[in-house]
């Protein structure tokens, strides 16, 4: 709940900053249209944090590739607001091939070297300990997720009972910010539907 409130606060702050910049630019020689164009060019996400809902919607779309295991993930470069890698669960081929692992592997394949501090990983569900560990080893410093491990457990999904927050807390050599509950209801519905199909 607190993470959802904080996400809304960040969105409101970014909107206020963008509005103030637009107002300032509108008072200059270029006028409002010039100001709007500048904001469009840099992207309003560049004025504050990324639009978490926008990228989570894409993660939800990716989860449709495997509706029975709807773990979709993508990685965004915070500096450019561009998606640099996408993935989804492929555990039917390899039990360790979770959505987050798929996205990280695709990024590693496309970029021989990458620096993770400016990267944000979005995933439809809270990373399991294996995936959160892979995030840390990759140097990715922000993870945004929809459904929680506790919710998956309540549906009967087999989960290792270690939350992503605990993995981060017990890994002092790394830092990683976790933002949970983004489009949580929409993500929860994916797993509820998958659970119904399995019955």
């Amino acid at each position: 709940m607190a993470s959802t409130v904080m996400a809304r606060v960040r969105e409101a702050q970014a909107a206020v900053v963008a509005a103030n910049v637009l107002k300032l630019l509108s008072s200059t020689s270029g006028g409002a249209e010039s100001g709007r164009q500048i904001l469009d060019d840099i992207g309003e996400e560049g004025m504050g944090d990324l639009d978490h809902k926008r990228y989570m919607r894409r993660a939800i779309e990716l989860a449709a590739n495997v509706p029975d295991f709807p773990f979709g993930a993508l990685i965004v470069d915070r500096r450019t607001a561009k998606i640099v890698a996408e993935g989804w669960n492929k555990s039917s081929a390899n039990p360790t091939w979770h959505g987050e692992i798929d996205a990280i592997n695709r990024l590693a394949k496309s970029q021989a070297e990458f620096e993770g501090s400016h990267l944000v990983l979005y995933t439809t569900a809270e990373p399991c300990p294996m995936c959160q560990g892979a995030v840390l080893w990759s140097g990715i410093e922000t993870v945004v997720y929809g459904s929680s491990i506790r919710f998956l457990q309540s549906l009967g999904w087999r989960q290792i009972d270690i939350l992503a927050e605990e993995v981060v807390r017990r890994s002092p050599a790394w830092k990683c910010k976790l933002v949970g509950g983004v489009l949580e209801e929409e993500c929860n519905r994916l797993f509820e539907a998958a659970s119904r199909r399995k019955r």
Side-chain angles (χ1 to χ4, degrees):
M1 183 65 152
S3 61
T4 304
V5 171
M6 289 307 297
R8 289 182 181 151
V9 168
R10 282 193 297 274
E11 287 175 16
Q13 288 171 334
V16 169
V17 171
N20 287 338
V21 169
L22 183 57
K23 184 177 177 183
L24 177 66
L25 292 171
S26 297
S27 67
T28 64
S29 59
E33 285 306 310
S34 174
R36 182 74 252 169
Q37 185 59 50
I38 291 170
L39 277 177
D40 289 343
D41 289 345
I42 62 175
E44 288 186 8
E45 291 95 352
M47 304 306 298
D49 208 349
L50 295 170
D51 181 351
H52 293 329
K53 289 182 180 178
R54 169 187 168 198
Y55 297 107
M56 189 60 72
R57 286 187 190 99
R58 179 58 185 158
I60 290 169
E61 289 173 2
L62 293 168
N65 284 295
V66 56
D68 288 342
F69 293 93
F71 298 91
L74 57 104
I75 300 171
V76 176
D77 187 322
R78 184 189 301 280
R79 300 167 303 181
T80 63
K82 302 277 189 210
I83 296 171
V84 294
E86 298 181 333
W88 52 87
N89 187 286
K90 295 175 180 165
S91 59
S92 61
N94 178 333
T96 66
W97 206 342
H98 291 189
E100 299 93 329
I101 300 294
D102 190 31
I104 291 169
N105 284 341
R106 288 181 188 218
L107 179 60
K109 191 173 182 179
S110 69
Q111 301 180 21
E113 293 183 21
F114 63 86
E115 200 282 303
S117 64
H118 57 270
L119 300 177
V120 181
L121 185 141
Y122 290 84
T123 177
T124 53
E126 180 178 355
C128 72
M130 176 186 73
C131 291
Q132 186 58 49
V135 165
L136 296 180
W137 283 111
S138 302
I140 296 171
E141 292 188 358
T142 306
V143 171
V144 181
Y145 64 88
S147 299
S148 68
I149 285 175
R150 292 288 181 245
F151 178 76
L152 297 181
Q153 289 173 322
S154 76
L155 293 178
W157 287 70
R158 189 173 60 171
Q159 293 288 308
I160 297 171
D161 195 22
I162 301 172
L163 304 181
E165 181 278 327
E166 184 176 353
V167 175
V168 172
R169 182 174 51 80
R170 297 181 67 170
S171 306
W174 293 272
K175 66 177 183 175
C176 184
K177 175 184 175 185
L178 299 169
V179 181
V182 174
L183 296 186
E184 185 173 16
E185 290 183 9
E186 290 89 333
C187 292
N188 287 352
R189 283 197 288 270
L190 295 175
F191 295 100
E192 288 170 337
S195 294
R196 285 193 296 272
R197 282 192 295 273
K198 290 178 181 179
R199 289 185 191 132

